[in-house]
Amino acid sequence: FEKNHWRPPAALEDYVKNGNKGALWKSGGKPNADGSPSGEATTEEIEQRRQWFESHAPVSDSEVLKRKEWFERQLTDDEKVMRRQWVKRSTKEAKRITTDELSDVLAALNDGEKPSDEQLKAIEECVRRRREELGFKPASQDDNDMITQEEFVCAVADTHFYVPQTDEERMRAEEEALEAMRQEEMARETEEAAYLAMEAEEEREKAGLTEEEAEALAAAEAGNDEEAAFLDELEQDDLEAKPNEDDVEMTAEEEAAWNDFLEGKDNENAGDAEVEELSPEEQARLAEEEEQRLAAEAAAEEAWASEEFEGEEDWAEGEGDAPEAELDEAQKDELEALVEEDPEEQWEADEEDWGDEEVAEEEEEIDEMAQEEKGQPLQWKLPLPEVTNPQFLKSYFTVIKYTPSHSFLGGKQKRVWVVDHFTRCFYNLEKSGKIKKEHAANKLLQLERNVQDPNRLRLMFFDAAHSYELQFYSPQERERFYETASAIRPSIRVYAPDLTNQDQSVEACTTTIDGVGPNTVTVTCNNAAGKPVARELTGECKVNASKLLTEPLTIWVGTFNLTGHHPPRNSKELNDWMPKDKYDIYAVAVQEASYRKEESEWFEYVQHHLGKEYLTLASMSVWDTLLIVLSRKKHLLKITNVEGSTKATVHKSVCGTKGGIGISLRYLETSMAFVTCHLAARLERNAMRNTNLEEVVDGLQLAVRETDFCNQFNHVFMFGDFNYRVELDNSSAQEMIDSKQYQALLDYDQLTTQRRDEGVLHGFQEPPITFAPTYRMQVGSDQYMAEKGNAPSYCSRVLTRSMTNTWVKCTGYRAFRSVQVSEHQPVNATFIVRCVRPTMSCFMKAQSPIPQFIFEELAFTESTGPLIKKPQLMIVSGFTATAKNIDAVSGQTASPSWSGNLPRMESVTQAQEYLETCHFIFIVREAAEKREDKAHRGTAHLPLFSRVIGVQDMQQEFDADIMAHGKCLGKLTGKFRWEAAPLAM
């Protein structure tokens, strides 16, 4: 301060931005001959600076020295993050080496040959002469020993140290040498930063200070070195005004694009939907793919009819067509250790987790669906002769290996997999019956049923280099494999009331099935060749069983538009919005995250905040909108079918870089999707926002590709910056906010009116809003920007859509005015979801008939959609085979109907309690449309709650909303019944 307090403001700003390398800082602000300051700094301003310095530094020299020492050694969590950022930035710009490192760098330039002492002296002499010519005087010996990149290149050229034969060789050699320089500097800086962090932690512990005390002490020292300047730059960057779309005037081109969009909307419904014609080349490609698909199906049928089994080369490790495991080795090791823990300890820990006060508040709402099983999950013994269908405790399954190729289905030979509960292992057998591959049950990472193909299933083991894709003979065979494989897993608790302690006070236990001595039984089952044989079952096996069909899962979803600013650096602010270690799944979305220097910066920020107990399931981005979904590590083994998709909006010239992201998953038997979006800004662009929503709904490809995400998942969580505004003058809106009349204010909310009048996001629900509008805030304050004229609005929202046969409870919907780093407030919502467990129908004592669902007639009524030239119907469910390409009674109609040719849909399970949690999906498609992504005309779903138990052979009528583009286009009406399926021969 004493040296530089007289410099003009422009020079100080240059130092803040560029450090001591700034040209204006180096040249500006030298005093006049009479000693008076030059530039714009007046005498009064200099005096103000001096007074400020005196008032902010009223400590002794010894205290200053003590604080400086602590500042250098003591780092808070936030400072550690900032220091890592500074090191990262500094190392990227590193362009100097020491004279001691000069020999190694020259060797890299000279293809590994070390330079001689004479060559080194020549290089150093050349550097010295260049410095003399430029008038460079090093401030210290350290500076004198450092050689810059520019000095190095010039010295090499002047001394002709290395004369390459070609220009390409010269460029390559220079790049290698410069890269060696950068690596040396980066290694040195990283080592110093690591040492500082370690020293700071040790010193804090020795001094007995808390992190808060150390942070306060560190904050008191305002260092003026390069690191402090960088931190000041970050803070200044956050305070600078960011350009907001509401404030930027439209250009002539944007105005023209907006008018074209409005004109297109006026003509959008003028005629029927056009069917896009394909080129002859595309038609030929589609025909070839269909031919390959038919050939693959024929090969599968031939394989099942064959008596041949795979030979010695069966599923060799590292086989070329085997898909690689998705997790890296470190993650797999962590999860494997988790699986090997005592299951009883895991269940007890879960019970403790559910003891939170927030969950206890919901007990009255949950009632008969209690939060957790009553009683302790104690050990219980069950004699093997009392188990229904004990042959499934050691089951042989004949499969065909599936490969992605259309023309090859893994060969024509069959393979055999065995699920053995008594040894707790999975076996892959050779033709002779000898074990070729063996995997322990606690090594099973994922057991995933394919959504598109009801005959396929994927296994992934910790100790296998690749996953196994299995193709079963029928959906029923796949379901039996899935049931018995789920029951053998130590990390999963299954719904098996008949394998649970029959004491009414106990609803869950670890059951030991005793097949030792007199409890040994003989069963008839197929051998490796598929022939029925008598087999003796002996030994013990364990099943984690429950009498409750569901288990609870807590979910946190949050959205935050950063408007280009850095996220909160204060850990308390961030924890208010995103509390650590409180929920099972976190889905975090941000918009306008343009502050990022690297693509993964935000994702790493969230992962670091939540800690090592959480693993990322998926993370995706479109423009500056990002979505990341994380799960507790202990739940990862229950999660399958993780998929992601992005959709950028079409009208970029009008609405900018907007779009949506979707990530779907399956937790046990319950499917869910997390969808975020960022829609067009400006008060008047309601129609554009509606169009953006339609594009996101139609464009995100998740799970069943023939339909959108609205009607196929048990739960859909949709959240983000929808940008719908409050259409009210600012003063009236402010009066309502001051008096907390939020519901009255919502009467003027555009999203509320568009959902009511235009049918936007039909079927979605929003929790009650009990907080003030979240936009538009003054950065660094909890006050609104009243000078902008527009009323405060609810831009950030959370909506959900759940099927009627599911259970979900919103436990909170909040905004956080304490987080003031953006013009938007962050918003979150929290939920408890009851997730269905794997159901062990094969072990149920009461063996009910397998239901077969028979649809007698279906009709698309009250249609507001376009004419469909060749309507076809597709029926999808998770518990039957899929029915495709069912032609309507007639074409060229907006209201098609189907009757007479509807297939019988046979269930894969007899468990009626489970079936009542399931649903059918009916997808109406345009068969005349050759482009698969354009053929969707509407989807309806039929939940089976109260339509299975006690209504066998009874005709039932139903009607369901048909949706497309997020809107209701009519009703699907029909009749159906279920009857007992004929017994398989």
Side-chain angles (χ1 to χ4, degrees):
F1 176 82
E2 293 295 343
K3 292 180 180 178
N4 301 311
H5 71 276
W6 42 265
R7 291 187 184 237
L12 297 178
E13 291 176 6
D14 184 44
Y15 178 79
V16 170
K17 292 181 179 179
N18 304 307
N20 53 19
K21 300 178 183 179
L24 187 58
W25 172 259
K26 289 182 176 180
S27 61
K30 292 185 178 180
N32 298 324
D34 58 359
S36 63
S38 63
E40 300 179 10
T42 63
T43 304
E44 293 78 6
E45 185 175 355
I46 294 173
E47 183 59 30
Q48 289 176 1
R49 294 178 184 176
R50 186 183 299 280
Q51 291 175 2
W52 183 94
F53 177 78
E54 291 175 354
S55 63
H56 286 76
V59 294
S60 63
D61 293 343
S62 61
E63 180 66 17
V64 171
L65 184 63
K66 178 182 178 182
R67 291 183 180 183
K68 185 172 182 180
E69 180 182 356
W70 275 103
F71 177 77
E72 291 175 347
R73 294 180 175 270
Q74 198 63 36
L75 301 176
T76 65
D77 288 343
D78 291 339
E79 288 169 337
K80 289 177 183 177
V81 173
M82 293 179 182
R83 177 160 289 191
R84 280 196 295 270
Q85 292 174 340
W86 173 75
V87 170
K88 197 171 185 179
R89 168 178 159 173
S90 299
T91 53
K92 282 186 177 179
E93 297 176 352
K95 298 180 180 178
R96 300 191 303 172
I97 59 169
T98 65
T99 51
D100 294 337
E101 297 164 340
L102 180 60
S103 177
D104 293 335
V105 176
L106 289 172
L109 179 64
N110 201 24
D111 295 330
E113 184 178 343
K114 289 279 187 178
S116 63
D117 292 341
E118 290 76 12
Q119 289 174 318
L120 285 174
K121 289 180 180 178
I123 293 286
E124 293 174 356
E125 179 63 23
C126 188
V127 170
R128 185 188 62 76
R129 286 199 308 270
R130 177 177 173 79
R131 289 178 176 178
E132 290 178 353
E133 293 172 1
L134 297 176
F136 173 75
K137 294 181 179 180
S140 65
Q141 184 60 36
D142 288 341
D143 288 343
N144 190 50
D145 290 341
M146 301 299 288
I147 299 176
T148 67
Q149 184 182 104
E150 183 181 4
E151 291 172 339
F152 175 80
V153 173
C154 291
V156 168
D158 292 345
T159 59
H160 302 286
F161 170 75
Y162 181 66
V163 182
Q165 297 178 354
T166 63
D167 291 340
E168 290 78 5
E169 189 178 359
R170 177 184 57 80
M171 294 176 62
R172 176 186 63 79
E174 287 185 0
E175 284 295 328
E176 290 177 353
L178 295 180
E179 179 62 24
M181 291 177 64
R182 285 191 289 267
Q183 293 296 333
E184 291 282 356
E185 182 71 9
M186 289 173 65
R188 182 168 54 252
E189 296 284 359
T190 303
E191 184 178 355
E192 290 176 3
Y195 173 76
L196 285 174
M198 181 181 67
E199 283 287 302
E201 188 64 23
E202 291 177 354
E203 290 294 328
R204 184 184 68 79
E205 292 177 355
K206 289 180 181 179
L209 293 178
T210 64
E211 292 185 2
E212 291 75 13
E213 292 171 339
E215 182 178 0
L217 189 59
E221 174 62 32
N224 53 0
D225 57 4
E226 186 176 0
E227 179 183 357
F230 173 66
L231 298 180
D232 291 342
E233 179 183 347
L234 286 180
E235 294 175 2
Q236 182 65 28
D237 181 58
D238 277 352
L239 293 175
E240 289 178 357
K242 305 290 179 181
N244 190 296
E245 291 181 70
D246 290 344
D247 301 334
V248 179
E249 294 189 6
M250 295 174 63
T251 64
E253 292 79 4
E254 291 173 337
E255 189 74 35
W258 172 242
N259 292 332
D260 290 343
F261 166 75
L262 294 178
E263 183 179 349
K265 290 296 290 183
D266 292 337
N267 299 328
E268 189 177 54
N269 298 320
D272 297 325
E274 294 185 1
V275 176
E276 185 172 344
E277 296 293 336
L278 297 182
S279 65
E281 293 79 8
E282 290 176 318
Q283 292 180 11
R285 178 181 57 80
L286 291 174
E288 182 181 356
E289 290 180 357
E290 179 65 14
E291 183 178 345
Q292 290 178 342
R293 185 185 66 80
L294 294 175
E297 291 180 357
E301 293 178 5
E302 183 179 350
W304 291 120
S306 171
E307 296 295 329
E308 298 181 6
F309 284 77
E310 189 63 60
E312 294 296 324
E313 70 281 5
D314 180 24
W315 269 325
E317 289 287 344
E319 195 170 315
D321 57 12
E324 294 295 326
E326 287 83 350
L327 298 176
D328 60 38
E329 290 303 319
Q331 290 175 319
K332 289 176 70 174
D333 290 342
E334 290 180 3
L335 290 173
E336 188 173 3
L338 184 68
V339 173
E340 292 175 350
E341 293 177 2
D342 187 352
E344 293 183 37
E345 295 180 1
Q346 294 185 36
W347 307 134
E348 291 173 5
D350 288 345
E351 290 177 357
E352 293 175 3
D353 291 343
W354 282 97
D356 292 345
E357 293 182 3
E358 180 175 344
V359 176
E361 294 174 0
E362 308 300 331
E363 285 186 0
E364 295 181 4
E365 302 288 345
I366 296 173
D367 197 15
E368 67 271 9
M369 286 182 130
Q371 287 285 4
E372 192 53 62
E373 292 90 348
K374 292 182 293 185
Q376 294 297 322
L378 303 176
Q379 295 283 342
W380 182 61
K381 272 202 173 186
L382 177 66
L384 180 58
E386 297 182 18
V387 176
T388 305
N389 292 328
Q391 68 271 18
F392 287 111
L393 294 173
K394 189 172 183 179
S395 305
Y396 286 66
F397 295 89
T398 304
V399 301
I400 296 175
K401 186 182 71 171
Y402 173 84
T403 62
S405 171
H406 289 288
S407 58
F408 179 67
L409 198 61
K412 298 180 181 180
Q413 294 170 316
K414 295 176 284 188
R415 296 103 188 277
V416 173
W417 275 78
V418 181
V419 184
D420 191 340
H421 282 246
F422 296 99
T423 61
R424 301 182 75 81
C425 286
F426 293 83
Y427 303 119
N428 183 8
L429 302 184
E430 296 178 356
K431 181 179 178 180
S432 62
K434 183 180 178 181
I435 297 174
K436 179 172 179 58
K437 294 293 180 184
E438 176 180 344
H439 299 286
N442 63 358
K443 300 292 185 181
L444 180 57
L445 170 60
Q446 281 198 328
L447 177 65
E448 181 178 280
R449 289 177 292 191
N450 188 276
V451 176
Q452 298 284 345
D453 188 341
N455 294 338
R456 281 171 52 197
L457 179 143
R458 185 170 70 97
L459 292 169
M460 183 189 295
F461 294 93
F462 291 110
D463 54 353
H466 60 275
S467 59
Y468 298 95
E469 290 280 349
L470 310 183
Q471 180 97 3
F472 291 81
Y473 177 72
S474 67
Q476 287 76 14
E477 274 288 286
R478 184 186 77 166
E479 188 66 17
R480 296 294 82 74
F481 183 94
Y482 178 80
E483 288 182 9
T484 187
S486 296
I488 201 176
R489 301 181 71 184
S491 58
I492 302 294
R493 177 164 287 171
V494 297
Y495 175 59
D498 294 325
L499 298 184
T500 309
N501 192 328
Q502 298 306 298
D503 185 342
Q504 303 231 345
S505 65
V506 177
E507 292 182 341
C509 67
T510 300
T511 300
T512 300
I513 299 176
D514 182 10
V516 178
N519 291 328
T520 299
V521 299
T522 301
V523 298
T524 301
C525 55
N526 292 339
N527 62 7
K531 304 297 183 181
V533 297
R535 180 175 287 110
E536 184 179 74
L537 300 181
T538 182
E540 287 187 347
C541 59
K542 291 185 178 182
V543 176
N544 293 312
S546 173
K547 296 176 185 175
L548 296 185
L549 181 59
T550 63
E551 68 178 53
L553 180 75
T554 55
I555 297 175
W556 182 99
V557 298
T559 178
F560 193 5
N561 187 323
L562 295 170
T563 57
H565 295 83
H566 289 268
R569 297 192 188 90
N570 186 310
S571 58
K572 182 181 182 303
E573 287 184 9
L574 180 60
N575 203 61
D576 288 344
W577 173 55
M578 190 194 311
K580 294 181 183 179
D581 199 29
K582 193 171 182 181
Y583 300 94
D584 297 320
I585 289 181
Y586 286 81
V588 193
V590 291
Q591 304 81 37
E592 297 188 43
S594 57
Y595 76 94
R596 295 168 300 147
K597 299 297 188 294
E598 295 183 4
E599 188 69 23
S600 61
E601 188 171 343
W602 166 256
F603 300 137
E604 293 172 355
Y605 175 84
V606 174
Q607 180 70 74
H608 178 267
H609 171 69
L610 292 180
K612 294 182 178 180
E613 288 305 308
Y614 289 84
L615 289 179
T616 299
L617 298 177
S619 59
M620 304 190 77
S621 63
V622 55
W623 307 116
D624 286 326
T625 299
L626 299 92
L627 174 63
I628 180 173
V629 179
L630 307 97
S631 165
R632 282 191 197 272
K633 194 186 302 180
K634 67 179 181 180
H635 291 318
L636 194 63
L637 301 180
K638 303 177 183 179
I639 295 173
T640 59
N641 300 97
V642 178
E643 296 184 47
S645 178
T646 63
K647 173 60 181 177
T649 54
V650 174
H651 304 279
K652 182 180 176 183
S653 58
V654 179
C655 65
T657 53
K658 303 298 190 293
I661 308 169
I663 293 175
S664 64
L665 59 91
R666 193 175 189 89
Y667 185 92
L668 297 178
E669 301 299 293
T670 299
S671 61
M672 56 190 73
F674 300 94
V675 179
T676 188
C677 62
H678 188 199
L679 309 182
R682 297 183 182 273
L683 177 70
E684 69 277 6
R685 290 186 174 171
N686 250 345
M688 176 59 75
R689 283 187 279 274
N690 294 349
T691 298
N692 291 161
L693 274 177
E694 292 182 13
E695 292 175 8
V696 170
V697 170
D698 294 344
L700 294 181
Q701 298 291 305
L702 298 171
V704 181
R705 299 295 193 268
E706 289 80 3
T707 184
D708 57 47
F709 61 80
C710 293
N711 263 307
Q712 60 171 307
F713 297 99
N714 295 120
H715 304 282
V716 177
F717 302 91
M718 193 165 187
F719 50 105
D721 182 4
F722 290 81
N723 250 327
Y724 287 97
R725 308 303 173 87
V726 170
E727 290 188 297
L728 190 66
D729 64 274
N730 184 53
S731 59
S732 299
Q734 194 62 56
E735 289 178 6
M736 292 183 180
I737 295 170
D738 294 340
S739 58
K740 298 185 178 180
Q741 300 178 40
Y742 303 137
Q743 294 305 312
L745 187 62
L746 285 170
D747 291 339
Y748 302 92
D749 173 59
Q750 290 178 337
L751 180 56
T752 302
T753 58
Q754 291 299 302
R755 290 174 61 200
R756 181 187 64 225
D757 301 338
E758 299 296 329
V760 172
L761 294 179
H762 177 75
F764 280 80
Q765 304 293 326
E766 183 175 20
I769 291 180
T770 58
F771 49 85
T774 59
Y775 175 82
R776 182 178 183 186
M777 314 302 297
Q778 299 178 23
V779 177
S781 168
D782 63 354
Q783 301 299 311
Y784 294 104
M785 285 190 180
E787 68 275 9
K788 299 299 181 181
N790 293 332
S793 299
Y794 293 97
C795 290
S796 300
R797 312 288 275 269
V798 178
L799 293 89
T800 64
R801 177 178 169 87
S802 297
M803 295 193 175
T804 55
N805 58 346
T806 60
W807 194 97
V808 60
K809 173 69 177 179
C810 179
T811 57
Y813 187 25
R814 309 174 185 86
F816 296 85
R817 301 192 74 158
S818 58
V819 183
Q820 301 169 0
V821 299
S822 168
E823 295 176 5
H824 292 258
Q825 296 174 24
V827 171
N828 74 21
T830 55
F831 302 89
I832 300 175
V833 175
R834 302 296 303 189
C835 297
V836 179
R837 287 175 166 141
T839 302
M840 302 297 104
S841 66
C842 58
F843 298 123
M844 288 184 173
K845 289 182 179 179
Q847 290 291 297
S848 305
I850 299 290
Q852 186 179 69
F853 294 86
I854 304 168
F855 294 94
E856 298 180 0
E857 56 184 52
L858 298 170
F860 190 160
T861 63
E862 303 176 21
S863 174
T864 59
L867 186 77
I868 307 176
K869 295 182 179 180
K870 189 180 178 181
Q872 283 188 343
L873 183 67
M874 179 177 177
I875 307 178
V876 182
S877 81
F879 60 95
T880 68
T882 299
K884 296 184 178 181
N885 305 330
I886 308 171
D887 292 324
V889 174
S890 61
Q892 299 293 334
T893 177
S895 302
S897 61
W898 295 264
S899 65
N901 60 342
L902 294 168
R904 292 170 175 251
M905 311 290 287
E906 182 175 335
S907 171
V908 298
T909 178
Q910 50 119 2
Q912 296 183 12
E913 300 94 328
Y914 167 72
L915 288 176
E916 292 221 339
T917 70
C918 299
H919 57 273
F920 281 105
I921 302 174
F922 302 91
I923 306 171
V924 181
R925 296 175 61 78
E926 171 62 272
E929 174 62 72
K930 299 302 182 183
R931 292 183 61 92
E932 287 293 319
D933 58 337
K934 302 288 186 182
H936 180 235
R937 293 296 181 266
T939 300
H941 75 271
L942 172 62
L944 294 182
F945 181 70
S946 75
R947 295 182 179 273
V948 180
I949 299 176
V951 292
Q952 182 178 352
D953 297 321
M954 295 175 57
Q955 188 180 73
Q956 305 178 62
E957 297 182 354
F958 72 92
D959 68 84
D961 292 337
I962 293 184
M963 288 181 60
H965 322 302
K967 297 182 178 181
C968 181
L969 301 185
K971 295 281 187 180
L972 181 71
T973 61
K975 300 177 183 178
F976 81 99
R977 71 180 191 280
W978 76 264
E979 62 183 32
L983 296 176
M985 299 301 292

